[in-house]
Amino acid sequence: MDSIIISGGSKLTGKVKISAAKNSVLPIIAASLLCPFECKLEDIPFLDDVYVICDVLNSVGANISLNKKSNRISIKADNITSIEPPYELVRKMRASFLVIGPLLSRFGRCRISLPGGCNIGTRPIDLHLKGFCALGADVRLGHGYVEAYCNKLKGAKIYLDFPSVGATENIMMAAVLAQGETIIENAAEEPEVVDLSNFLNSMGANIIGAGTDTIRIIGVKELKGTTHQVIPDRIEAGTYMVAAAITQGSVVVENVILEHIRPVIAKLQEAGVTVIEEQNKVKVVANGVPKAVDIKTMPYPGFPTDMQAQFMALMSIAKGTSIITETVFENRFMHVTELKRMGANIKIDGRSAVVEGTAKLTGAQVKATDLRAGAALVLAGLVAEGKTEICEVHHLDRGYVNIVEKMQSLGANIQRIQKE
Ligand code: UD1
């Protein structure tokens, strides 16, 4: 298992280009199952999670070709041979569950293992299933599997108890080929939902309102192939913005959609960090130690839960005390124990963490417990005194393209080492 070694203390400077959004690419690849024609995706980030969803599609018979040189993927689902992706693949990644909507909608059947809990909580799928049932599917649970059947899905009005990103996407994919109109109320408004809707509309779907809390889908008979460019990754962008702030550096983060990173910009500015907005890029300059600010994670357009751990690393060295409240996931404070090993002063009180800024963090051996926890440890390592060794870095490979090389190009003293 590889580790990342960081010698802290370098101020990051220079430019970094953000890759396409992992959380857009995964549902969009799943959505390519909705038609038998070729779908081409551009600017693909070749991350571990992307390989997993490609393997899932392959396992049901889709033809996928990856071109790593041009960052393109082409998918043709004209010969689907199975409606049951294997458990060994599905258990690797929760987002594999996103194939149920397209398979059910196009083929009237899907059998898939239930995603288990993960490090950030139990993460149920009841809202996905409630949506499929409302569309007329017969959904059964048993032996760790979900089986869903239908003759033809029928449009319905579906109210989500929580604006779940995955449930909104799965129901949207199921509804595009349903008979009649579907309305999803209290839908997730995340940019990745909008990107998926744009992709589906370019295939010939009829979806209105993605990006608001009410999405209207008028079912169509069939979809066609398309070419789509995926939006930039707002979480990767936010992570490099915090890297500039935590090291008191000056970094231009390129290939961003400013509107998508508004909550991160706002919180950095509140912390006293200068953020200069230009077209498709931001310059983040920190002169001095940031001030403590309170954070509360919320569904979009609120502060993203996927940036909570990284901001906690920043608040660990801020002036003052910050209260960080996690409202989206029930157990997303795994990084706290590891940050404390580096000298952070953090106390958990229910769904909040009280972070008292300390003058310095110190390098330590720490463990990445999930993707964003890993990112938080990289950020903490950049500013810590001495050497930080992060193990279990395979979590980072799920969501950050070339993080070591990108950080190195900004002047960080960071390397990846292979361990037996
Ligand atoms: C997606 C993102 C993930 C991000 C999360 C919240 C992808 C591949 N992943 O995950 O990076 O952290 O959005 O922004 O896009 N819930 C239920 N029942 C359901 C579904 C969800 O109770 O049927 C709960 C979850 O347990 C969680 C909350 O809703 O507490 C949010 O989950 P959801 O928005 O569904 O996240 P994901 O789509 O899994």
Side-chain angles (χ1 to χ4, degrees), residues 23 94 123-128 162 164-166 306 328-329:
N23 287 352
R94 182 182 158 85
R123 299 181 83 174
I125 43 136
D126 55 316
L127 300 173
H128 301 237
F162 182 88
S164 152
V165 176
D306 284 352
V328 177
F329 287 107

Side-chain angles (χ1 to χ4, degrees), residues 31 44 50 78 168 183 188 194 201 214-215 221 242 294 327 398 409:
I44 293 300
V50 173
D78 58 342
T168 303
I183 294 177
V194 180
N201 281 342
T214 307
I215 302 180
K221 283 217 166 73
V242 173
D294 293 341
T327 76
R398 292 186 39 222
S409 77

Side-chain angles (χ1 to χ4, degrees), residues 290-302:
K291 285 185 288 206
V293 290
D294 293 341
I295 305 281
K296 191 176 197 175
T297 66
M298 303 279 272
Y300 189 84

